[in-house]
Structure formats: C-alpha cells, structure tokens
C-alpha cells in the first residue's frame, strides 16, 4: 500500500508539473464509426445537390429563364431570406423565375427552386410569393424527393453497384445517375410527389411564412385564386402533380385555425411585390 | 503478514506421520512445519496446481476492444474498459457510455503428459460461462466518473475420471471439483489536467473465493507384502477453501504528446484486508504397499484453518498507442508484476518471481460499420524454472474479433487463445519433472452503448 501511495504522489506531481502550454486536441482518437455518420450525412447532401443541379439544368432546358434580371434578383432575395428560417439554413438555396405561362413552381433536390412567370402573374403580394416559395422550400427541407428515390452518397448505399455512383469511374454508375435525374424530372413534371408530401409541404410552408414574419395565409389566397382561374392549359401541370386545390385549402384552413394563425396580422408587402413583378 | 492459526487433528494410530501426530499448534512456524508434509501428502497421487491460476496473471483479457487487441490497452483506455486498464484514459469517453462483456465460454486445459504410464496423459479441464466485465462512464464536473465490475479470473472444474491398470494400480479414480473466481468492482474518476495529460484512479473492492475438493481412490494390485494375493485401497480426500477481500486501487496517467501518439501508465496492487483459509485432509493407507498417504491400513484426518492474508504483487503497466487514422491504430503494452512471497491455500509459502508480459494490438475499420481487431500477447509464469514443485509454463496467445457498429452501439464477437509447454511436478517429489501443456481459450460476445 505504501508503494502505491508513493506512486500516486509521483503521478500527482507529474500532473501538476505538466506543461500547460502544450495544449492540443486529439481528433485522431475518433474512430471511423464515430465520425463517419457525420461524413455520410455530408456526402449524402453533396449527392443530393449534385442531382439537384443536374435536374435544374434539365428544367432550364424545358423552360427559359425569365429575362428580367431585377425580377430574378428580387425573387432570390425573398427566397433566400425565407430559407434562412427553414429547417436547412446551411443549405444554399437558389431561386429562379421561369419564362413560362404555366402556373407552377418546382423544387429540385439540393435547394434549386423555380417559380413560373405565370404563377407570379397570379400573385398579388409578397406574402403569396412567400407562400409558394415556402411550399417548395419545405419539399427540400423534408427531402421528399431524396427519400422517395433513395438518393444518397455511394458509400451510404446498400447496393454495391452504387459504390462508384459519384466517382465517375463506372459507366454503370453514370447510367444510374442519369436515370435518377430522369426520375426526378418525371416526378416534378408528370407524376408528382405523394399526396401526403404535398400536404406536409403546405403545412410547413404556413409555419415557415409565419416564422419569417409574413402573412401565413398567402399560400391559401394564391391557391384560391388559382382554383378560381378558368385556364385549363396553364393549370394542366400543377393539376396533374398536386392534390386538388380545394382539399389543400380545406386542410390549410383547418391548420390556420388550429394553430391560431387565421387572425395573424403579418406583412403582405404588396407594394414592394408590385414594384418588382410586372 | 498477520495470521492466527488453529489446527484440529484426530489420530487413529500411533503410526501416523510425524506431522499429523503433533498436538494443537497456534504458532505460525510450527503450523507450517505441520503443513508442508501435508501438502506433500496431497501431492502423492495426482494433484498439481490449481488451474486458476496463481501462476499466471493474464488468463482472461478484460473489455471488448482490449480483449481483441491482446490486452494492449493501457494507452487507449477510452471506453468503459479503460476503467480497469488505465482510468486516466476515460477522459476521452466524453459521452454516457455503457459497456457489457460476456465471455460466452472460457476454457482452460492443462495436460500432464505421460504421467499415467504407457503414454497416457492426465488432463485438467475447466469450462465456464462468465459475464466478466460491465462498465459505465459519465462526464461529471470537470472529469469523467465511472463504475465497473470485473471478473479477472474464473475456473470451474468438475472432473470425474477413472484410469485402469496404471502401473501397479488396478484402478485409479479421481474426482475433482474446483471453483475459483476473482471479482473486482468499484468507482473511478478521471480528469484532464490539460489537453495532453490526464490522470485517473479506480478504487476496486477485491474479492476472491476458491473451493476445491479433490478425492482420489487407488485400488492396488495384489502385492508381495503382508496380505499378498489380496488387493487393497488407498484413499485420499482434500478439501480447501480460501476467501479473501480487500481493496485494489488503480492509478493511471495518460500523456498524449502528439495528436496521434498516446502513452499510458498504470500501477495497481490488491491489498487484502481479511482472509479465511481452510484445509481438510483425510487419508487411508494400504496394508499391502508402502504408502505415502497414510501408514498401513490407517485412516487419519486433519483440519486446518487460518486467516493468513496473501501478499499480492504490484503491477505496473506501460503502454503506447499510435492512432494512425480513424481507420487504423496500433498499440503495445508491457507489464510487470513484482516478486513477492505467496501463500498457497493458506498454509504454504512460495517465492513468486517478478514477471514481464507484453501485448501488441491493432484495429482496422473495413468501413464505418465493420472493424477487425487482432492482438498477440504473452502470459508468462511467475514460477521459477528451477523449482519443479510448481508448474512453469509460459503461455503465448493470439486474439481477434469482428465488430459491428450501429449509430449508438457496437457488437463484438471474438476470441483469445493462448498455449504453452513447460514442466511441472504432478507426480510425487523424487520423480523427474513432467512435461505439461496448458491452453486457454475465450470466446466472447460483447456489446456497448453510447447515449
């Protein structure tokens, strides 16, 4: 026991004499299973962004960008400010106006959001624009397409064939990548997402708009006006890819009441909207 | 070493050996004078050392990673098993961490070669299922608090064997039941002096229990002495029981001069506060043969008890670990147990040699879900090769495991195996030392959780 006491005293002295200035972190102790979940999440996000970028390119191949640069800047400012209140504030969102008469908006994975000139023409204030953009941001935040199509980084995939998905080395991987992009485009323009995903995006959009200080009823007003509009061709796309506006409105109305947002007196910014949107 | 002794003896014959004929003795030296012949008597047939294992220190490796890495863990120690190996390392277990380890199967086997004549070996085997480690760590205040339970050795022998026509013996039957375990449990605390240096201490309650019953019956061939033409029997029964408890503090230090290099050291010693030792010996001598057990045809028995407290060695461990990458690490340990004087079964002393052991370990991640670990280690005997009365077998071992990780948990399946060949004196003194082979194998399944 005496020997142990002596050793303990020596260790204590050593600890007190330790050179405090030699401070250093020891990240090397972290083992792969401890650090790779974070790395995997980052890799998955990179994969999502890469798919989204390619989908955005396909969208722009279908519809040209609206030529009004000031309009593009305005929508980007509104959208980016809004995305900062979302669930993925670290993700870089990009917003663009498509020169299309269709009344629709699209969100590609990774934060690429598009709204058509036809939709903007139907809006009366910035709160309605925010409602539409918030709906698309919600799709990205909730990773609806990512989850539906299982988009992930190759090392996270259970399929061996995906291991070189983004490595660019394998032809099969490139084919799979192209197929994934095609599937996303089909979802956006033809098949639509699950109905529940759309309803969830509506609900998230209302809350996001409210958090950002906008009138949370902007999306409802836009949907009402859209449903009243007698223009079958302009609504073809949104009708085929989204639940009926009446059902969406019914759910939104219930949500606004339940969450005490019906009487919310928040900004609509109609004048600013009308200054930027011809 | 303090002790009191008490001897209760019963003579049935004036022909009993000198030691047994002595009256009640309370003085230690006189008691030892009695005990030594008894121990020799106990070794007259086949006795040998208890398998668990006063002759080795590393029969069971402790902890999930440590077991798979050959026990080379002094400079790693960053999970709950670090509470045992080097408590200073648990400062790196920054989250609530729970670790349990079950040695699904621990088996030992000692083979004394050709001791039964005609090339026949005598095997002593033990198989036991033991939960040998549980530990939990939790950051508290400026440091990390932990609690652990460790079984550092465990033997469960239950042997019934009969040999026919062994030299001049018509029949030799041995029934051996040996249960031994060493437990440790207690709290630990570690704190980080700075980013390079940490210190820690574990204060274990130490408990050891051992009980052995060794019953041997020999049916002798008809001889040429008195009663020639008739067979006769020799019989011996020995029961021992030893319990002890005390404390075993472990003091550790970890120095990390480089972000990839860690150096660790720990020192520990069990200090026995209380012990109870018991020996009961009965023998019956043959009337047709010279017997070393008891005189012709007599039955004797002796009962001994004492509270002699064993000395335990000081153990010093030094370790180094190289964290090459998140995927790969290497570690090495060297340990030294100091020499001391031991007490065998409460009544006999022996000089225990200072003993060095080394271990090397590695860990490699196949991906973020699977890792393989491996190690090599020594488990050298603390006996002298010059003293044949005690088994002298140096064991050399390997270990490996496959680990599967999920988000907050891990599961390990692995094994350790060690083997060695040496000499012992299982036959009566005067015979040449016998060659013996010892093997240990542990197959373990363990899990840990981080909250």
């Amino acid at each position: 026991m005496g020997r142990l006491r002596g050793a303990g005293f020596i260790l204590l002295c050593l600890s007190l004499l330790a050179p405090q200035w030699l401070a250093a972190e020891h990240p090397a102790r972290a083992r792969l299973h401890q650090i790779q979940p974070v790395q995997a999440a980052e890799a998955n996000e990179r994969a999502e962004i890469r798919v989204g970028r390619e989908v955005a390119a396909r969208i722009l191949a279908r519809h040209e960008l609206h030529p009004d640069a000031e309009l593009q800047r305005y929508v980007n400012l509104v959208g980016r400010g809004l995305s900062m209140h979302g669930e993925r504030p670290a993700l870089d969102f990009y917003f663009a106006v498509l020169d299309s008469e269709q009344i629709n908006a699209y969100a590609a994975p990774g934060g690429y959001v598009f709204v058509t000139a036809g939709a903007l023409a139907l809006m009366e204030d910035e709160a309605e624009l925010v409602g539409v953009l918030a709906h698309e941001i919600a799709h990205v935040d909730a990773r609806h397409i990512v989850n539906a199509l299982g988009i992930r980084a190759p090392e996270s995939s259970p399929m061996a064939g995906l291991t070189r998905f983004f490595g660019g080395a394998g032809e099969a991987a490139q084919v799979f990548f192209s197929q994934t992009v095609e599937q996303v485009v089909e979802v956006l323009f033809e098949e639509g997402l699950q109905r529940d995903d759309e309803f969830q995006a509506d609900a998230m959009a209302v809350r996001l708009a409210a958090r950002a200080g906008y009138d949370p009823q902007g999306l409802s007003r836009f949907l009402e006006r859209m449903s009243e509009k007698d223009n079958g061709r302009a609504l073809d796309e949104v009708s085929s890819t989204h639940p009926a506006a009446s059902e969406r409105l019914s759910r939104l109305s219930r949500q606004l009441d339940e969450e005490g947002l019906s009487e919310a007196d928040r900004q609509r910014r109609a004048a600013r909207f009308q200054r930027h949107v011809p | 070493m303090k002790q009191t002794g008490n001897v209760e003896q019963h003579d049935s014959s004036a022909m009993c050996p000198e030691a047994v004929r002595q009256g009640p003795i309370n003085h230690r030296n006189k008691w030892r004078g009695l005990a030594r012949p008894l121990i020799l008597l106990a070794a007259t047939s086949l006795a040998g050392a208890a398998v668990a294992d006063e002759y080795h220190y590393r029969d069971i490796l402790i902890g999930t990673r440590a077991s798979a890495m050959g026990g080379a863990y002094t400079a790693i120690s960053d999970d709950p098993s670090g509470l045992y190996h080097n408590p200073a390392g648990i400062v790196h277990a920054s989250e609530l961490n729970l670790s349990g380890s079950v040695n699904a199967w621990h088996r030992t086997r000692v083979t004394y070669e050709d001791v039964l004549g005609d090339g026949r070996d005598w095997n002593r085997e033990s198989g036991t299922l033991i939960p040998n480690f549980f530990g939990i760590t939790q950051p508290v205040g400026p440091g990390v608090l932990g609690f652990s339970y460790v079984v550092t050795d465990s033997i469960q022998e239950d042997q019934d064997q009969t040999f026919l026509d062994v030299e001049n013996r018509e029949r030799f039957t041995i029934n051996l039941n040996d249960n031994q375990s060493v437990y440790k449990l207690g709290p630990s605390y570690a704190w980080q002096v700075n980013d390079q240096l940490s210190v820690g201490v574990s204060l274990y309650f130490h408990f050891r229990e051992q009980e052995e019953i060794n019953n041997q019956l020999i049916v002798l061939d008809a001889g040429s002495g008195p009663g020639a033409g008739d067979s006769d029997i020799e019989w011996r029964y020995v029961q021992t029981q030893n319990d002890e408890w005390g404390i075993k503090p472990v003091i550790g230090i970890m120095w990390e001069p480089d972000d990839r290099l860690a150096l660790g050291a720990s020192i520990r010693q069990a200090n026995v506060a209380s012990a109870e030792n018991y020996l009961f010996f009965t023998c019956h001598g043959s009337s047709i043969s010279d017997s070393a057990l008891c005189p012709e045809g007599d039955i004797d028995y002796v009962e001994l008890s004492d509270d002699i407290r064993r000395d335990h060695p000081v153990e010093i461990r030094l370790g180094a670990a190289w964290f090459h990458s998140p995927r790969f690490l290497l570690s090495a340990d060297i340990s030294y147990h100091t020499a001391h004087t031991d007490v065998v079964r409460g009544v006999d002393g022996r000089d225990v040699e200072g003993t060095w052991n080394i271990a090397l370990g590695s860990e490699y991640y196949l991906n973020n879900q699977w890792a393989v670990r491996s190690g090599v280690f020594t488990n050298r005997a603390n006996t002298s090769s010059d003293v044949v009365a005690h088994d002298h077998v140096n064991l050399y071992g390997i270990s490996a495991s496959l680990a599967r990780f999920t988000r907050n948990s891990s599961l390990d399946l692995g094994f350790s195996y060690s083997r060695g060949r040496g000499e012992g004196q299982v036959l009566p003194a005067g015979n040449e030392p016998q060659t013996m082979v010892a093997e240990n194998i542990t197959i373990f399944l363990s899990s840990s959780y981080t909250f």
Side-chain angles (χ1 to χ4, degrees), chain A residues 31-33 36 155 163, chain B residues 325-329 363-373 401-405:
Chain A
R31 299 291 85 201
L32 198 63
H33 78 277
Q36 212 167 57
E155 58 266 32
T163 55
Chain B
S325 70
R327 193 179 285 275
F328 182 57
L329 76 82
E363 178 180 67
Y364 182 77
Y365 277 74
L366 303 172
N367 54 39
N368 68 322
Q369 294 180 326
W370 294 94
V372 291
R373 299 172 180 135
S401 81
L402 182 64
R404 170 79 163 89
F405 301 95

Side-chain angles (χ1 to χ4, degrees), chain A residues 1-5 7-9 11-12 14-16 18-37 40 155, chain B residues 65 75-76 78 92 193-197 199 247 249 251 253-254 256 258-259 262 267 269 271 314 323 325-329 363 365 367-368 405:
Chain A
M1 195 64 182
R3 282 172 291 189
L4 270 184
R5 274 199 298 269
F9 179 73
L11 290 178
L12 181 62
L14 282 174
S15 69
L16 294 175
Q20 303 286 329
W21 53 270
L22 286 174
E25 293 294 328
H26 303 284
R29 272 190 178 272
R31 299 291 85 201
L32 198 63
H33 78 277
Q34 295 167 319
I35 61 174
Q36 212 167 57
E155 58 266 32
Chain B
R65 287 172 85 197
I76 301 175
D78 51 11
H92 298 289
V193 179
N194 61 34
D195 284 342
Q196 284 201 318
L197 189 74
V199 293
I247 60 168
I251 301 170
I253 185 169
M254 186 81 79
E256 296 168 86
D258 181 271
D259 63 352
I267 185 169
Q269 182 185 28
N271 297 271
V314 175
F323 297 89
S325 70
R327 193 179 285 275
F328 182 57
L329 76 82
E363 178 180 67
Y365 277 74
N367 54 39
N368 68 322
F405 301 95

Side-chain angles (χ1 to χ4, degrees), chain A residues 145-156:
Chain A
I145 292 180
V146 170
N147 293 335
L149 300 180
I151 298 169
R152 64 181 71 182
E155 58 266 32
S156 301

